[in-house]
Amino acid sequence: MNKITLLFGVFLLSITLNAQKDKQPNVLIILSDDQGWGDVGFNGCTDIPTPNLDQLAADGVIFSQGYAAHPYCSPSRAGLLSGRNQQRFGHENNLPYTDADADDGFPLTQLMMSELLSDYDFQTCAIGKWHLGDSISLWPDKRGFDDWYGFWGGGMNYWGKPKHNDPYHGVLRNGVPVPLDEITYLTDDFTNEAVNYIDGYVKKDKPFFMYLAYNAPHTPIQVTNEYTKAVSHIEDGERAAYGAMVYAMDQGIGKVIQKLKDEGEYENTLIFFYSDNGGTRYRASNAPYRGYKGMLFEGGIRVPFIMAYPGHLKGGKTYHKMVSALDIYPTILAATGLKHPEPETLAGVDIMPFVKGKKKGEPHTDLYWRYSDGAGYAMRLGKYKMVMSGFKKDFFLFDMEQDPYEHTNIASEMPEKLAEMKQLYAKWDKGNIKALWQDPHAANLSKEEGGRQKALDRATSGEKSNK
C-alpha cells in the first residue's frame, strides 16, 4: 500500500467517523427483572456466567451506586419511562391482581419516553414484559411504540402458556395473540424478536428506540436444558435454575449486541442495562448488600447498572457516585438533542457529562423512595441514608461511606442529621399524591418480618430453657 492510498484511506475513515458522530443515536434500554446486584460478573459474581454483560460493561461504564426508582416492578418501570418520581402521579404500587379498574396503569396524562421519541420520528419498539396497564388503551402500541411483542401483565409462563387459557393473556404482537406453536422459550423469543427488529429497521433513514424488557429471571423459575449446562457447578438446585435463567438472558443480550455490530450500529447506539429492582429473597444474590426486592435497604434498590455508548464514551470505567434510573430519560434527551415539553418535571439529570468528567460534583445530592403512600420510605443525602422501615416500624440512619452494607443504625447517635433528613423528605413528599390504587406489598413485607423474628426466636429458645 503506497502513501497516497494510505492517506486516502485515513481520509475516508475520518469522514465516516465524523458522520457517525453527527448521526442521531439509536437508543436501547435492556431491563432485567428481579436480578440481584451480585448476579453479574461485572459486580463480582463468580457462580453465574454473564460474559456478554461483562463485555458490555467493559465497553461502557459500571455504576457502583446505580439505583432503581422503586423497590419493585410496575412503579419502577413507571419511573423509568416517565423520568419522574412515580409518586408524583400516583403510580407507586403494582397493579391490582384481580380487580384492576380500566384506567389503572401508567396515566395517559403522563408523557412516556416512547411517545416523545416517536413524535421526533424515531422508530419505536417494545419487547417483553409491560406491566404498566392491563387495559387495551394502556398497552404499548397505544403509548408511542410502533411495534410491540410481549405480554401486558406482571408475570408469564416462560413456555408462553396464557393465563386462564385466554390467548389475550398470553404473548401478543401489536395486540394480536401469538399462536402457542410459534413460541419456544420466552427469553429466546424476546432475543430473536430484538435481533429481527434491528435487522429490519437499521437500514432505514431514521434512528430506533428499543425497550427490551426481559422477564428473566423473575418467577416462575423455568429454563431449558441448553442453559443449565453452564451452571452445572452450582450445587444448590434452586440457585442453579435461577442462574441458568440469568445465563439465558446474557446469551440473548450477546446476540442483540452482535447484531448491532454486524449492522454497523453498535458505535452509535446509546445502551442502558439495569434490573428493575433488587433480587428476590430466594435464589438471587444482592450480596454484599442488605435486604432484597421490596425493601428500601440497599438490596432492594441498588441494582446492576451499565451505560454504554461505544463510539462516544470511553469504556472500562466504574463510576462511584449516585445515579438513578430516573437519569436515563434526560440522558437520552441530551444525547439525541431532543426537548421535553416540561423539563422541570423530570427528576433526573443528564449523567453523561459527569461520567466523562466534563462536569464536576455529583449528579445528585439527594434521592428519594416511597411505597404504599408512605408505609415505607427512604432517602439519600450525600453519604447518609435514612430508611423508615414500614415492617420494622423504626427509623434507620446509615453512613454509607463507613457502612455501605447498612449494619449499624446510627439514628440515636446523630439525632440532628436524622431530623434534617426527615424535614427534607417531608418537603419532597408534599409534591406527591395518594396512590391511584393499592397492592399488598406493605402487608406482605410485614408478614416476612414476622416470620424472620419467629425463626430467630425458635433458634434462641433452647438458650432460655437451659438457664
Side-chain angles (χ1 to χ4, degrees), residues 42-53:
F42 64 80
N43 279 344
C45 181
T46 59
D47 60 342
I48 300 175
T50 56
N52 295 294
L53 282 171

Side-chain angles (χ1 to χ4, degrees), residues 436-462:
L436 297 178
W437 59 85
Q438 298 296 323
D439 70 17
H441 169 75
N444 288 342
L445 270 183
S446 294
K447 290 178 183 177
E448 290 181 7
E449 173 64 12
R452 172 186 173 277
Q453 191 57 52
K454 286 180 181 177
L456 289 173
D457 290 343
R458 285 195 301 269
T460 58
S461 61

Side-chain angles (χ1 to χ4, degrees), residues 264-302:
E265 294 291 333
Y266 183 57
E267 300 291 312
N268 199 51
T269 301
L270 176 59
I271 305 170
F272 292 92
F273 167 83
Y274 80 107
S275 177
D276 63 343
N277 44 252
T280 56
R281 183 179 178 187
Y282 302 108
R283 308 177 190 93
S285 173
N286 300 305
Y289 298 105
R290 177 177 182 171
Y292 46 86
K293 173 185 177 179
M295 294 183 174
L296 292 171
F297 297 119
E298 293 292 279
I301 53 177
R302 188 186 291 217

